[in-house]
Amino acid sequence: MTLFADREVGLPLAVLQPIGDHYARRELHVSAELGYSVIAMMGARPGTHIHDHDGAWCVEGVWRGRLAITQYEPRERDGDRTRWRFTRMGDIEAGPGTAGSLIPPHEYHAIRNPSSGDIAVSLHVYQRPPLRCHVFVPEEPSASDGWLRREERVLATDAGG
Ligand SMILES: [Fe+2]
């Protein structure tokens, strides 16, 4: 946690480069011995859907800029677990040097860069290299009953870490 706040610790300049309109993800390190993965992300607007980390723990810290994180807990899901509803548990806005953890089963969240002008870069230490996750997508943009459809996403990292 101390390293997140240490302004003397540098990151590759590539982590400051946005990639199109998606959340840029650059893997900086994988521990061959312990299996954890360190990924730098650059937040894009309007932000992520509610998503999980496929059951893996994660420690996240803001490196540059600010990030708004909203935590959710499952409230209801249908029999085959494809349709879910969530309760919004709380919002935080985190600045540089701020770190937190996501420990399953409390792993559902959405994240966005609240600034229209400033870049936001965060560092994520995952229990294992994140190869997939689940995102929860509104069934219809106009629907207001809160039901979201769970979709699996295969994750890849961007070049330039
Ligand atoms: Fe996440």
Side-chain angles (χ1 to χ4, degrees):
M1 296 279 189
T2 305
L3 283 177
F4 282 119
D6 188 343
R7 298 293 88 195
E8 297 297 314
V9 177
L11 292 180
L13 290 178
V15 306
L16 302 177
Q17 298 301 317
I19 299 177
D21 60 352
H22 74 274
Y23 229 80
R25 305 171 72 256
R26 295 179 171 96
E27 189 167 70
L28 302 181
H29 178 69
V30 176
S31 169
E33 181 185 358
L34 301 175
Y36 65 84
S37 164
V38 182
I39 291 182
M41 294 194 199
M42 171 175 279
R45 291 170 67 86
T48 71
H49 289 295
I50 301 174
H51 63 281
D52 66 15
H53 287 171
D54 197 28
W57 57 254
C58 178
V59 176
E60 306 183 326
V62 179
W63 189 260
R64 177 80 72 90
R66 303 188 71 77
L67 286 173
I69 301 123
T70 303
Q71 196 79 28
Y72 295 87
E73 291 291 342
R75 172 161 46 118
E76 197 175 357
R77 53 199 154 207
D78 67 6
D80 64 1
R81 299 168 65 87
T82 57
R83 298 174 74 242
W84 293 49
R85 285 212 285 187
F86 289 88
T87 299
R88 186 177 187 141
M89 302 304 291
D91 302 272
I92 62 166
E93 188 171 316
T98 306
S101 60
L102 289 164
I103 309 291
H106 308 291
E107 62 175 319
Y108 302 96
H109 61 287
I111 187 167
R112 66 184 174 86
N113 178 356
S115 168
S116 60
D118 296 332
I119 64 169
V121 175
S122 52
L123 269 184
H124 303 245
V125 181
Y126 292 95
Q127 181 178 3
R128 54 180 181 266
L131 301 178
R132 66 171 200 162
C133 73
H134 300 96
V135 299
F136 298 87
V137 180
E139 292 190 306
E140 293 186 25
S142 59
S144 60
D145 61 358
W147 283 100
L148 305 175
R149 178 167 297 278
R150 185 172 83 150
E151 297 180 358
E152 183 173 317
R153 294 282 161 84
V154 174
L155 299 173
T157 52
D158 298 299

